[in-house]
Short mmCIF file of all heavy atoms in Angstrom, two decimals:
data_model
loop_
_atom_site.label_atom_id
_atom_site.label_comp_id
_atom_site.label_asym_id
_atom_site.label_seq_id
_atom_site.Cartn_x
_atom_site.Cartn_y
_atom_site.Cartn_z
N GLY R 9 -6.22 -7.38 12.99
CA GLY R 9 -6.66 -8.62 12.35
C GLY R 9 -6.71 -9.78 13.32
O GLY R 9 -6.23 -9.68 14.46
N GLY R 10 -7.29 -10.88 12.88
CA GLY R 10 -7.37 -12.06 13.72
C GLY R 10 -8.43 -13.02 13.23
O GLY R 10 -8.97 -12.86 12.12
N LEU R 11 -8.74 -14.00 14.08
CA LEU R 11 -9.73 -15.01 13.76
C LEU R 11 -11.09 -14.61 14.34
O LEU R 11 -11.18 -14.26 15.53
CB LEU R 11 -9.29 -16.36 14.34
CG LEU R 11 -10.26 -17.54 14.20
CD1 LEU R 11 -10.48 -17.88 12.73
CD2 LEU R 11 -9.73 -18.75 14.97
N LYS R 43 -5.02 -15.16 -3.98
CA LYS R 43 -5.82 -14.45 -4.98
C LYS R 43 -5.26 -13.07 -5.27
O LYS R 43 -4.22 -12.68 -4.74
CB LYS R 43 -7.27 -14.33 -4.49
CG LYS R 43 -7.94 -15.66 -4.17
CD LYS R 43 -8.06 -16.54 -5.39
CE LYS R 43 -8.83 -17.82 -5.08
NZ LYS R 43 -8.90 -18.71 -6.27
N VAL R 48 -11.41 -2.18 -1.41
CA VAL R 48 -12.54 -2.33 -0.48
C VAL R 48 -13.27 -1.02 -0.24
O VAL R 48 -14.50 -0.95 -0.32
CB VAL R 48 -12.04 -2.90 0.87
CG1 VAL R 48 -13.15 -2.89 1.91
CG2 VAL R 48 -11.47 -4.30 0.68
N ASN R 59 -16.56 5.62 -0.07
CA ASN R 59 -17.13 4.73 -1.06
C ASN R 59 -16.71 3.31 -0.73
O ASN R 59 -15.66 3.10 -0.09
CB ASN R 59 -16.69 5.13 -2.47
CG ASN R 59 -17.60 4.55 -3.54
OD1 ASN R 59 -18.68 4.05 -3.24
ND2 ASN R 59 -17.16 4.61 -4.78
N GLY R 66 -22.70 -1.78 3.16
CA GLY R 66 -23.70 -2.07 4.17
C GLY R 66 -23.18 -2.90 5.34
O GLY R 66 -23.86 -3.03 6.35
N SER R 78 -4.83 8.25 12.09
CA SER R 78 -5.27 6.87 12.04
C SER R 78 -6.47 6.66 11.12
O SER R 78 -7.35 7.51 11.02
CB SER R 78 -5.63 6.37 13.44
OG SER R 78 -4.48 6.29 14.26
N SER R 85 -20.91 -8.34 10.32
CA SER R 85 -21.53 -9.43 9.55
C SER R 85 -20.51 -10.13 8.65
O SER R 85 -20.74 -10.34 7.45
CB SER R 85 -22.69 -8.89 8.70
OG SER R 85 -23.63 -8.23 9.52
N ASP R 90 -14.71 -12.96 3.32
CA ASP R 90 -13.99 -11.76 3.74
C ASP R 90 -12.58 -12.10 4.23
O ASP R 90 -11.79 -11.20 4.55
CB ASP R 90 -14.74 -11.02 4.84
CG ASP R 90 -16.08 -10.48 4.38
OD1 ASP R 90 -16.14 -9.96 3.25
OD2 ASP R 90 -17.06 -10.61 5.14
N THR R 91 -12.27 -13.38 4.33
CA THR R 91 -10.94 -13.81 4.74
C THR R 91 -9.90 -13.29 3.76
O THR R 91 -9.97 -13.56 2.56
CB THR R 91 -10.86 -15.34 4.82
OG1 THR R 91 -11.72 -15.80 5.87
CG2 THR R 91 -9.44 -15.81 5.10
N TYR R 95 -4.87 -4.44 3.50
CA TYR R 95 -3.85 -3.41 3.43
C TYR R 95 -4.50 -2.03 3.51
O TYR R 95 -5.54 -1.80 2.89
CB TYR R 95 -3.11 -3.47 2.08
CG TYR R 95 -2.33 -4.72 1.81
CD1 TYR R 95 -2.84 -5.73 1.00
CD2 TYR R 95 -1.05 -4.89 2.33
CE1 TYR R 95 -2.10 -6.87 0.71
CE2 TYR R 95 -0.31 -6.03 2.06
CZ TYR R 95 -0.85 -7.01 1.24
OH TYR R 95 -0.10 -8.12 0.96
N TYR R 100 -2.90 9.03 -3.74
CA TYR R 100 -2.41 10.32 -4.26
C TYR R 100 -3.37 10.76 -5.36
O TYR R 100 -3.64 10.01 -6.30
CB TYR R 100 -1.00 10.20 -4.81
CG TYR R 100 -0.52 11.51 -5.39
CD1 TYR R 100 0.07 12.47 -4.58
CD2 TYR R 100 -0.72 11.82 -6.74
CE1 TYR R 100 0.47 13.69 -5.10
CE2 TYR R 100 -0.32 13.03 -7.26
CZ TYR R 100 0.27 13.97 -6.43
OH TYR R 100 0.66 15.17 -6.94
N ASN R 106 -4.14 9.53 -10.21
CA ASN R 106 -4.81 9.00 -9.02
C ASN R 106 -4.26 7.59 -8.82
O ASN R 106 -4.49 6.72 -9.67
CB ASN R 106 -6.32 9.00 -9.33
CG ASN R 106 -7.14 8.29 -8.31
OD1 ASN R 106 -6.67 7.78 -7.33
ND2 ASN R 106 -8.45 8.25 -8.57
#
Side-chain angles (χ1 to χ4, degrees):
Chain R
L11 176 63
K43 302 297 184 182
V48 172
N59 199 12
S78 293
S85 304
D90 296 318
T91 294
Y95 296 100
Y100 178 86
N106 171 1

